[in-house]
Amino acid sequence: MNELNTTTNGNSTGKYTEGNVVTKDWWEHIRIRPGMYIGKTGDGSEPDDGIYVLLKEVLDNSIDEYMMGFGKTIDVEIADGVVTVRDYGRGIPLGSVVDASSKMNTGGKFDSEAFKQSVGLNGVGIKAVNALSSYMLVQSFREGETKYVEYKQAQIVENPPVSTTEQVNGTLVNFIPDEEIFRNYRFIEEYVVAMLKNYTFLNAGLIINYNGEKFTSKNGLEDLLNDRMTSDPLYPIIHLTGTDIEVVLTHANQYGEEYYSFVNGQFTTQGGTHLSAFKESVSKTIKEYYSKNFEYSDIRAGIVAAVSIKVQEPVFESQTKTKLGSKNIISNDPDSPTIPKFIGDFIKKELDNFLHKNPEISDIMLKKILESEKERKAIAGVTKLARERAKKANLHNRKLRDCRLHYNDAKGDHLDDTCIFITEGDSASGSITKSRDPNFQAVFSLRGKPMNTYGETKQIVYKNEEFNLLQAALNIEEGLDELRYNKVIIATDADVDGMHIRLLLLTFFLQFFPDLIKRNHVYILQTPLFRVRNKQKTIYCYTDEERINAINELGKNPEITRFKGLGEISPDEFKNFIGKDIRLDPVSLKKEHLIKEMLEFYMGKNTMDRQHFIINNLVVEEDLVNE
């Protein structure tokens, strides 16, 4: 049979023939379906955007060399969108440089003896980098000889024979992400540094030189926690190590739970079976140690922890390896325990022993748990009434204009597209609502300026209707596991009032839901300050420099409009700013941003400091339109 007639929706007939069956070259398939290999593409504004995955794929190869005992230094340089990674491992076998960089399912890691407990097991990574780069060079140095190959969009342009070299062994990879795939991309320094630091925290003794800065770690995950914590620990970090497992934990005076999880050096940002087992085991062990019927939520309130395990042939839920799916045994030994049992047995023994040996720490931990229990019970009555009020309000409330697809219901490539815009005022809210994609974009409208929550307890979240409804809309009362939107976007005017509203919202998140920011869910929407146009072309400008360039480009006497607020931008125009070319500034926290001190400075009684901060950080420029 040469063709198959099919009926679609009962009202049309299509032909499925040999002509419909198409075979693509390996590189074409990756470029057509990049999401299958690197997750989403993006422009670099999010830490899991594709350009960082490309960097990670190259680095993983160098890290695997280090884990096998070859090359303790990796040099990384990123300048003007060009990435260079040089390691000092064994180097790719010279006769395999082309195959390793351009033949799918080709690599040395299928041999578990050559690469044990590796992350990159499928022979795809460097090929994906090749296919999604406008230029890539791969060069190997081995025993006084070298071989390189150059590509442009995965097509070989230089492939000279092996030659002699004086350079030491290792591999050099140079690539430029393709702007056809990654539109208007940029590498954000904080994301790159966080990635590189993670590698050093997980590989004590490894040295990474990045753009002239040196990163290394002596204390592993303990250094990671000290680097990431934005509140002082209540007691010294508990650091437990064993074969194929490392654990650190402490408590801080903060709401929520904060975890970092890793498998074979891979940062599993979405957790997985190992993190679930870790959280369960810690809670159970602490509960049994105190012999009290504590609720797990009270035990884990304010906890900051990290867990790293090493597994042979791990199973991840996606190519980007952000969530561990394995429940299988730790190693190829058939008598090896499952991952949950392995972690559970380790925590039960080591953490229980530690608490018995360190009563001063267990006393501090107990005090923190009792305080969390007391606060939870104190607001129990308020929360029940508030939940009912929020649930009822959400059903017929115009404050939330929901989207059809929520984060927890999203599937496949659309998972990262869900977002909620937090706006102020009916005009701005109306413009965004009429312009948005109702499938993925929700809108929450504030009624004027929200209250300053600095110094308040969590009861205020439930007693204040504005914040109670916002918390309910985001569904974050019990933590981020049920967060309904991937991006929480603050969309306020670029003026003094708009900046103040941003600070008030950020204060609310920092006080009660800091993990929302730490896990990179909060963004600031950037909208244009100017529209410069003539009869042939319209240019939207986000800075005064862009305005001047637009005037020069369009020539004599173009029409210049200054947008004073979001409400002045028509819905038809707003579609240009919240669609595929949306500009978002991520809100991030660093170690030096101690939340208590930062909020005291910006939101405390020193109002003059706050006013100076707002004025000095406005993106609004002086009105130079008529110059």
Side-chain angles (χ1 to χ4, degrees), residues 76-93:
V76 181
E77 182 178 334
I78 300 178
D80 300 323
V82 182
V83 180
T84 304
V85 177
R86 170 67 155 102
D87 69 38
Y88 301 90
R90 290 168 289 184
I92 303 169

Side-chain angles (χ1 to χ4, degrees), residues 75 132 148 190 279 302 384 443 462 546 550 586:
D75 297 328
L132 299 175
Y148 76 88
E190 291 176 16
K279 293 163 67 174
K384 182 178 179 182
V443 182
Y462 301 98
E546 290 184 11

Side-chain angles (χ1 to χ4, degrees), residues 257-303:
E257 306 168 32
E258 186 176 337
Y259 300 101
Y260 304 91
S261 64
F262 303 86
V263 175
N264 295 2
Q266 167 65 39
F267 185 16
T268 44
T269 54
Q270 296 184 38
T273 53
H274 60 317
L275 181 57
S276 298
F278 172 73
K279 293 163 67 174
E280 175 78 16
S281 301
V282 167
S283 302
K284 184 178 180 181
T285 299
I286 292 175
K287 182 176 180 178
E288 291 177 351
Y289 170 79
Y290 293 113
S291 299
K292 294 182 181 294
N293 193 28
F294 288 134
E295 291 197 8
Y296 283 1
S297 61
D298 295 328
I299 292 173
R300 298 201 299 240
I303 195 170

Side-chain angles (χ1 to χ4, degrees), residues 320-449:
T320 53
K321 309 179 186 76
T322 55
K323 186 174 184 180
L324 181 67
S326 302
K327 289 185 179 179
N328 61 327
I329 56 179
I330 289 291
S331 72
N332 292 328
D333 181 352
D335 295 326
S336 178
T338 63
I339 289 174
K341 187 177 189 316
F342 171 74
I343 293 174
D345 289 347
F346 176 81
I347 295 295
K348 180 177 177 59
K349 177 184 176 182
E350 300 298 332
L351 180 56
D352 185 73
N353 286 345
F354 182 91
L355 293 174
H356 276 97
K357 293 178 180 178
N358 296 273
E360 69 285 356
I361 290 181
S362 64
D363 287 346
I364 298 172
M365 182 185 291
L366 177 60
K367 182 180 178 182
K368 170 61 177 174
I369 295 170
L370 291 172
E371 288 175 350
S372 299
E373 181 183 58
K374 182 180 179 180
E375 182 175 9
R376 176 180 55 80
K377 290 180 177 179
I379 64 176
V382 178
T383 59
K384 182 178 179 182
L385 180 63
R387 285 193 201 102
E388 293 173 354
R389 190 169 71 242
K391 183 177 180 181
K392 181 179 179 181
N394 275 341
L395 293 175
H396 53 81
N397 172 30
R398 289 181 58 83
K399 292 180 71 64
L400 174 64
R401 296 167 176 85
D402 213 346
C403 60
R404 298 190 182 106
L405 183 63
H406 300 137
Y407 182 78
N408 285 321
D409 301 324
K411 304 295 181 184
D413 293 340
H414 300 305
L415 182 68
D416 299 295
D417 295 333
T418 56
C419 67
I420 183 168
F421 294 97
I422 304 176
T423 67
E424 187 275 323
D426 293 336
S427 57
S429 175
S431 291
I432 293 181
T433 300
K434 293 175 183 177
S435 308
R436 66 176 176 143
D437 181 340
N439 289 309
F440 310 114
Q441 296 178 326
V443 182
F444 185 92
S445 179
L446 296 169
R447 184 180 65 250
K449 286 185 180 180

Side-chain angles (χ1 to χ4, degrees), residues 23-151:
T23 300
K24 295 288 186 182
D25 282 337
W26 67 271
W27 57 272
E28 290 181 296
H29 190 268
I30 296 175
R31 291 179 68 85
I32 292 172
R33 298 283 185 268
M36 292 179 60
Y37 301 91
I38 63 164
K40 57 195 175 71
T41 51
D43 63 357
S45 61
E46 298 181 62
D48 57 348
D49 278 348
I51 58 172
Y52 304 110
V53 178
L54 299 187
L55 172 60
K56 184 190 76 66
E57 291 288 0
V58 176
L59 282 169
D60 281 348
N61 294 331
S62 299
I63 296 298
D64 285 337
E65 281 293 306
Y66 174 80
M67 291 175 67
M68 291 300 294
F70 302 95
K72 70 174 185 178
T73 300
I74 302 172
D75 297 328
V76 181
E77 182 178 334
I78 300 178
D80 300 323
V82 182
V83 180
T84 304
V85 177
R86 170 67 155 102
D87 69 38
Y88 301 90
R90 290 168 289 184
I92 303 169
L94 301 186
S96 300
V97 172
V98 174
D99 288 353
S101 55
S102 63
K103 284 191 178 181
M104 293 291 282
N105 304 314
T106 300
K109 298 170 193 175
F110 295 106
D111 181 354
S112 61
E113 292 304 314
F115 287 92
K116 297 178 179 179
Q117 298 176 330
S118 167
V119 171
L121 293 171
N122 49 25
V124 172
I126 196 69
K127 272 71 74 175
V129 178
N130 192 357
L132 299 175
S133 296
S134 58
Y135 170 84
M136 187 175 84
L137 175 143
V138 180
Q139 185 168 11
S140 177
F141 307 93
R142 284 174 71 101
E143 310 303 331
E145 294 185 317
T146 184
K147 165 67 182 175
Y148 76 88
V149 58
E150 289 185 70
Y151 300 89

Side-chain angles (χ1 to χ4, degrees), residues 125-238:
I126 196 69
K127 272 71 74 175
V129 178
N130 192 357
L132 299 175
S133 296
S134 58
Y135 170 84
M136 187 175 84
L137 175 143
V138 180
Q139 185 168 11
S140 177
F141 307 93
R142 284 174 71 101
E143 310 303 331
E145 294 185 317
T146 184
K147 165 67 182 175
Y148 76 88
V149 58
E150 289 185 70
Y151 300 89
K152 287 187 177 179
Q153 291 188 330
Q155 305 303 298
I156 294 177
V157 293
E158 290 286 342
N159 184 20
V162 173
S163 60
T164 59
T165 181
E166 294 183 359
Q167 291 206 36
V168 298
N169 289 359
T171 302
L172 170 70
V173 177
N174 179 273
F175 71 93
I176 303 173
D178 196 334
E179 291 220 33
E180 291 182 15
I181 307 294
F182 310 99
R183 296 177 46 144
N184 301 315
Y185 76 86
R186 58 182 174 132
F187 284 95
I188 293 179
E189 187 85 351
E190 291 176 16
Y191 295 162
V192 174
V193 169
M195 179 194 299
L196 300 181
K197 282 185 175 181
N198 281 346
Y199 282 119
T200 62
F201 296 143
L202 293 160
N203 299 278
L206 172 68
I207 297 171
I208 296 182
N209 298 310
Y210 169 61
N211 286 4
E213 190 172 1
K214 178 181 176 180
F215 300 114
T216 190
S217 169
K218 293 182 179 179
N219 303 307
L221 291 186
E222 186 175 341
D223 288 340
L224 180 145
L225 240 55
N226 280 319
D227 184 73
R228 300 295 162 79
M229 290 185 67
T230 52
S231 298
D232 291 328
L234 296 179
Y235 52 83
I237 294 171
I238 299 172

